[in-house]
Amino acid sequence: MSNFKSDLPAKTGGGLVLLRRLHFYIGLFIAPFIFIAALTGTLYVLTPQLENLLFKDALTATVTGQAQPLSAQIDAARKYAGRELSISALRPAPEPGETTRVQFASEHLGASESRAVFVDPYSLAIKGDMTVYGTSGILPLRMWLDQLHRGLLLGEPGRIYSELAASWLWVAALGGVVLWWAGRSGRKASGVRRARRWHTTLGLTLVLGLLFFSATGLTWSKWAGDNINTLRTALNWLTPQVNTRLDGSLPAAPADPHAEHHMMAHHAGHWPGMPMPTPLSVNVADSDWDRVLQAARAAGISAGKIELRQPKAADKAWTVTEIDHRWPVQVDAVSVHPRTFAVIDHIYFADFPLAAKLTRWGVDAHMGGLFGLANQLLLAFLGVGLCSLIVLGYRLWWLRRPAAASGNPLATLCGAWLTMNGPQKTLALVIAVLLGIALPVMGISLLLLIVVDCWRWWRR
């Protein structure tokens, strides 16, 4: 949103000089990570239809008469996969002509992954067998893109890159707006002026979307995300979760709205700080799934897309959860007693606190599922626009590179900070420290930028 190299006169003050230099460094060193995140995220939101086409055989069924009971569908899946395997979740066919997913747990799969066997509800034929990921149940293509977007396929260490991008994106966006406002009357050489105009116009067009990307991306991050969860806990902004304790003695644990996009170290249904549940030694009877579904439907679980999970321990209940994240969002849930099949607890999205609703909507919008194709196209526009903005920024820097060779000490962050008056220096330090604590990856990377900056100036 502004050219990389400072061209503000000294009278504009050290604050703007510091901000322009920081904007330059974000563009030069952090922008490649932002570019990768934007590109891979765009590919992710544009591929649901492609994935459905690639795996059409597994996802579709031939409608012939009435669908078989869930017990028969589960029995067919168990015959195919092995009766010794434990079912982690069941997703009945959402619509006629679609298959049922019977998801099996496996120690050979990663966190949030399960082996899904796709069953034709009518003929009981096995239509597919593949690994699916998260509560959204994405298939192998988008699972690969998701892991590429989140961590460059490097696992937990790779998450540093995406957190780095999300931490600095909002600073670049807001800083660019401030610099545009402060320097909108400046005059440039014709080539630079045209390049800057394109960079500025596109940046101002995208700024709200960039802030949205940064805010929602940070909630998924590892270190900043933990701090955000701590804040949400302190402010009682947690997402309600249905209570599965049969004795009702414990309050419901907070749900993770990012589970479908989260490579968590714990399995679904477990929350940090809680003991891992002891799994049942055997699967429940096949017929129980039908009875649980009937109880949930009678209690108001009406969405086509639902997920059933059997009790995780002898003192726990079944859970039946709506998983339709399109608008209007359907994420109601109930817990069902494993012996009496009575509903013992329920949560309704309509009763969620406003903060929890905003979190749910933000997560779904970030993933491109809230408003369907319109959501996908908007995110694609923002993603492609952000990539173009970065390319234009590098072109602007390239056009101005002779001036960037200056050894002026004001061309360093420390040098710009020294031009500020006492209160400004103190405010800048306080803001930097607070942001470094709240966003640790930003804090560490800022220190590295300062070290590199001072080293380059010292060499000159």
Side-chain angles (χ1 to χ4, degrees), residues 96-113:
E98 298 185 25
T99 53
T100 292
R101 296 188 190 190
V102 184
Q103 298 177 204
F104 294 94
S106 173
E107 61 183 9
H108 304 295
L109 297 176
S112 299
E113 295 180 354

Side-chain angles (χ1 to χ4, degrees), residues 73-88 102-106 115-119 126 128-129 281-284 286 289 310:
Q73 300 177 48
I74 293 170
D75 182 66
R78 281 181 166 159
K79 285 181 179 177
Y80 170 82
R83 296 191 179 277
E84 72 282 0
L85 298 180
S86 175
I87 297 177
S88 61
V102 184
Q103 298 177 204
F104 294 94
S106 173
R115 176 188 177 187
V117 174
F118 296 77
V119 182
I126 304 301
D129 180 0
S281 58
V282 294
N283 282 308
V284 298
D286 292 350
W289 296 87
Q310 60 186 337

Side-chain angles (χ1 to χ4, degrees), residues 101-376:
R101 296 188 190 190
V102 184
Q103 298 177 204
F104 294 94
S106 173
E107 61 183 9
H108 304 295
L109 297 176
S112 299
E113 295 180 354
S114 60
R115 176 188 177 187
V117 174
F118 296 77
V119 182
D120 187 318
Y122 307 94
S123 67
L124 302 182
I126 304 301
K127 302 298 297 290
D129 180 0
M130 68 189 79
T131 300
V132 298
Y133 175 69
T135 59
S136 61
I138 56 177
L139 304 181
L141 171 63
R142 300 185 75 222
M143 182 171 68
W144 183 85
L145 287 173
D146 177 88
Q147 294 171 359
L148 179 65
H149 175 64
R150 293 191 66 249
L152 300 177
L153 305 178
L154 299 175
E156 285 297 303
R159 296 179 63 182
I160 296 174
Y161 115 86
S162 55
E163 183 164 347
L164 180 68
S167 296
W168 283 107
L169 179 57
W170 67 273
V171 180
L174 292 180
V177 172
V178 172
L179 293 173
W180 162 76
W181 182 262
R184 64 192 186 282
S185 61
R187 298 194 175 196
K188 316 290 178 201
S190 59
V192 174
R193 184 172 64 244
R194 286 193 298 269
R196 185 185 183 187
R197 183 170 62 248
W198 278 102
H199 184 71
T200 300
T201 301
L202 183 56
L204 293 174
T205 302
L206 301 177
V207 64
L208 292 180
L210 302 187
L211 295 177
F212 169 78
F213 277 156
S214 182
T216 53
L218 282 173
T219 63
W220 271 299
S221 62
K222 182 175 178 61
W223 295 278
D226 289 343
N227 290 336
I228 292 172
N229 283 334
T230 300
L231 176 64
R232 292 178 61 213
T233 301
L235 298 176
N236 196 26
W237 289 353
L238 297 174
T239 300
Q241 181 172 331
V242 67
N243 194 352
T244 60
R245 292 281 300 187
L246 297 184
D247 58 12
S249 60
L250 294 179
D256 180 7
H258 307 95
E260 62 270 32
H261 199 54
H262 223 300
M263 182 68 75
M264 298 187 296
H266 47 280
H267 292 284
H270 178 251
W271 189 256
M274 296 180 60
M276 284 295 291
T278 303
L280 296 177
S281 58
V282 294
N283 282 308
V284 298
D286 292 350
S287 59
D288 287 358
W289 296 87
D290 287 292
R291 299 182 66 180
V292 170
L293 178 58
Q294 291 171 4
R297 292 300 191 194
I301 299 298
S302 59
K305 295 182 178 181
I306 62 173
E307 180 178 82
L308 288 76
R309 289 184 178 269
Q310 60 186 337
K312 293 180 173 64
D315 62 343
K316 296 297 181 66
W318 291 78
T319 59
V320 183
T321 307
E322 296 178 336
I323 54 174
D324 192 345
H325 296 163
R326 298 169 298 179
W327 187 268
V329 173
Q330 291 182 287
V331 291
D332 299 347
V334 297
S335 55
V336 179
H337 198 288
R339 291 179 290 278
T340 66
F341 297 98
V343 173
I344 62 175
D345 191 27
H346 63 264
I347 57 170
Y348 299 118
F349 183 72
D351 299 329
F352 279 20
L354 178 60
K357 289 181 178 179
L358 292 175
T359 300
R360 179 73 269 165
W361 290 328
V363 168
D364 296 335
H366 186 105
M367 297 180 66
L370 186 60
F371 298 109
L373 182 60
N375 197 166
Q376 292 176 252

